[in-house]
Amino acid sequence: FYRFFIVLFLSLCVGCAGLKAKEPRMQETKFSFKVLKNERVLKGGKLLIVPFRAGVDIEANEKLEKIALMIVKGIGEVIKESSESKFEILSFEEAAQAQLIIEGHITNHTRPSSISRVGLGDKKISLGVEGDMIDLETGEKILIFNDEREADQRTSTYQDLAYNIGRSIGNAL
């Protein structure tokens, strides 16, 4: 019985000896943005950004709420930093003044498999969103977007992915 553990241990040591450390990789991105009503987007206006909700098969929980707020933060910061932006970001207290609203869903939230969490395989996390901007006066969607990011868990968090997704959306506006 004791020999079995020694053989198993040596087998694992030999098998792991050939593995080399991977260098951290940047976030991989799949971003699409489509303007449906160009003149309305260019007009700008008072914009309310609603925290994204859990999509189909995504568990709504406190962690996901924090991720959703990081998306909002990313969008808002980019718009506020831009001197050329035609949008005025509203707080939730000012929601009644909104002319436009951005809303969306988190469509993908994956974590490394249980095998990779114990040291074998990739440690990738991913986050995906889809959403739109709606003109509240007409009720029409004036643009749609989706973004999906993947990164190594050792170098990025879900909040990093969410913030960068938000910044991408904000930059596209």
Side-chain angles (χ1 to χ4, degrees), residues 1-2 23 29 39 42-43 48 61-62 66 68 77 84 86 92 107 115 130 144 156 166:
F1 188 69
Y2 180 69
E23 292 190 26
T29 304
E39 58 285 340
L42 291 173
K43 182 179 172 186
L48 179 66
N61 56 37
E62 193 173 316
K66 290 178 182 178
E77 283 184 2
E84 298 173 17
K86 304 240 187 277
F92 289 106
T107 57
I115 291 174
E130 62 182 33
I144 56 175
S156 296

Side-chain angles (χ1 to χ4, degrees), residues 25-171:
R25 295 190 326 182
M26 299 299 289
Q27 293 179 0
E28 296 175 20
T29 304
K30 295 177 190 170
F31 180 69
S32 74
F33 187 89
K34 183 176 181 183
V35 176
L36 304 174
K37 303 279 184 182
N38 192 45
E39 58 285 340
R40 181 59 188 102
V41 174
L42 291 173
K43 182 179 172 186
K46 295 181 178 190
L47 175 63
L48 179 66
I49 307 167
V50 177
F52 289 26
R53 298 180 314 234
V56 176
D57 296 328
I58 304 294
E59 180 185 346
N61 56 37
E62 193 173 316
K63 251 186 203 180
L64 204 68
E65 287 177 19
K66 290 178 182 178
I67 291 168
L69 290 173
M70 289 304 290
I71 297 169
V72 172
K73 180 179 180 180
I75 298 170
E77 283 184 2
V78 168
I79 292 173
K80 287 178 183 177
E81 290 168 0
S82 173
S83 59
E84 298 173 17
S85 178
K86 304 240 187 277
F87 300 101
E88 176 189 343
I89 302 295
L90 299 177
S91 67
F92 289 106
E93 293 80 29
E94 303 168 310
Q97 302 172 31
Q99 300 165 317
L100 304 164
I101 188 169
I102 289 180
E103 58 187 8
H105 294 88
I106 296 174
T107 57
N108 181 17
H109 179 259
T110 59
R111 58 186 186 155
S113 69
S114 55
I115 291 174
S116 61
R117 282 182 284 191
V118 295
L120 306 172
D122 279 342
K123 297 195 180 319
K124 291 188 182 220
I125 57 173
S126 63
L127 184 66
V129 302
E130 62 182 33
D132 46 48
M133 181 185 283
I134 298 171
D135 181 340
L136 292 175
E137 185 177 312
T138 64
E140 293 180 306
K141 289 183 184 181
I142 60 174
L143 64 83
I144 56 175
F145 57 84
N146 63 54
D147 196 350
E148 197 163 315
R149 306 239 169 176
E150 184 176 89
D152 190 309
Q153 185 178 22
R154 294 171 290 201
T155 58
S156 296
T157 65
Y158 290 108
Q159 285 78 14
D160 295 333
L161 294 176
Y163 181 72
N164 290 330
I165 286 172
R167 289 193 66 83
S168 291
I169 297 165
N171 282 323

